Amino acid sequence: MRQLTPSEILSLREMLQMESNAMAKGKATLPLITDNDLRRTAESSIEAMDARVKGLQQFIAENNILRTEGVQ
């Protein structure tokens, strides 16, 4: 695997953060949804976001992207 550029690493971090934030908001607001069709749609969206987060995490793990040098 080639090394990712700093801008690619930044984009990856931003995508992961965006998906994580959206999923947290979706989970927090899910109990407030009373319409059954809208609730099913929201649940489906949360599942899709969860899959994308897991995919990004897997990519990071498989490609040794997380650097811990200097972390204490």
Side-chain angles (χ1 to χ4, degrees):
M1 147 116 197
R2 72 177 180 83
Q3 291 288 359
L4 294 180
T5 65
S7 63
E8 290 171 327
I9 292 171
L10 181 60
S11 293
L12 182 60
R13 186 198 68 82
E14 289 173 349
M15 285 188 293
L16 184 56
Q17 187 66 54
M18 179 186 64
E19 290 291 348
S20 296
N21 289 343
M23 186 169 57
K25 181 180 178 185
K27 287 180 176 182
T29 58
L30 190 61
L32 305 173
I33 300 173
T34 57
D35 181 81
N36 289 334
D37 290 336
L38 182 57
R39 185 176 185 84
R40 280 192 294 276
T41 299
E43 289 169 341
S44 177
S45 294
I46 290 168
E47 289 175 11
M49 286 182 268
D50 186 50
R52 287 190 296 271
V53 166
K54 287 178 181 172
L56 289 168
Q57 290 172 331
Q58 182 178 356
F59 178 84
I60 289 167
E62 288 176 354
N63 293 284
N64 298 316
I65 301 213
L66 185 61
R67 296 188 187 121
T68 57
E69 301 94 40
V71 175
Q72 298 179 11

